[in-house]
Amino acid sequence: MFNQISPNMLKTYEICPRKFYFKYIKNISMPVNDEIFEFGKNIHALASYYLKGENIDKMELALTEKEKIVWDYLKNLKYLTYEVIATEYNLSLKIENSYFGGRLDALVKDNTRYYILDYKTGSAPKNAKFDYQTMIYTLAVKEFFKTNDISFVYLDLKNKTELKIDYTEELGKEYLKKLTDIKNKINTEENYSIQKECNCEYSLICY
Ligand code: SF4
């Protein structure tokens, strides 16, 4: 039974239950594309230091050209001028006997509205409104701060666009149902079925 569930676990399960089995039940790690990972990691770290009010002059000087373009765009967005509530913040949400959790990039506030920021250096989610990250983080912020005045903002740093999802009570009910359903599904899964005609970092041990 999974009592600690992250958005990545749920996304993996949805892509392929077999992959979920390798990664989260057998705990087998496979190498991923380090270049994309490192690029995202640097931008996330820089944004976190900046929002905490640290001196980032030296870090900015060490940026590559590509990182500098992305950072200049992010730094000048209105959200980074709002009141900072938390950065790189671990949160959790309890549904029945399970805890859902993850780490949000930043939580900022303008007047009464909370904005959950997610920096995307790769691709933004296809269905952002019902992405597991959106659902878990939004409900967790709602529970912790006792407010419905919440927006989840995906900042697509590659395409310089943003996508904002405003929380409503109706949406909250849908989120709760979807998270409860998927939690029950992974906790009763038995055969972790293989996807047909697929390919992933586990292909070599899958077939
Ligand atoms: S190779 Fe295909 S079936 Fe195997 S884990 Fe990857 S996605 Fe799933």
Side-chain angles (χ1 to χ4, degrees), residues 39 59 95 115 122 150 178:
F39 180 73
M59 290 178 81
I95 299 178
Y115 294 86
I150 307 165
K178 282 179 185 293

Side-chain angles (χ1 to χ4, degrees), residues 32-44 66-67 120-123 158:
V32 287
N33 188 331
D34 282 338
E35 200 188 322
I36 294 173
F37 179 71
E38 284 304 318
F39 180 73
K41 211 169 80 175
N42 291 343
I43 296 296
H44 280 72
K66 196 174 152 200
E67 287 169 340
K120 287 285 176 217
T121 48
S123 52
K158 197 164 83 180

Side-chain angles (χ1 to χ4, degrees), residues 15-16 18-19 22 194-195 198-200 202-203 206-207:
I15 292 167
C16 174
R18 185 81 177 150
K19 185 170 172 176
F22 288 133
I194 284 177
Q195 303 291 300
C198 60
N199 190 19
C200 81
Y202 292 92
S203 302
C206 187
Y207 298 112

Side-chain angles (χ1 to χ4, degrees), residues 79 106-108 113-117 134 138 141 148-154 163-167:
Y79 302 108
L107 180 65
V108 297
R113 179 158 287 266
Y114 289 84
Y115 294 86
I116 302 163
L117 305 183
T134 312
T138 304
V141 168
N148 288 341
D149 217 358
I150 307 165
S151 297
F152 195 116
V153 189
Y154 284 97
L163 180 64
K164 184 160 71 70
I165 299 128
D166 295 330
Y167 176 80

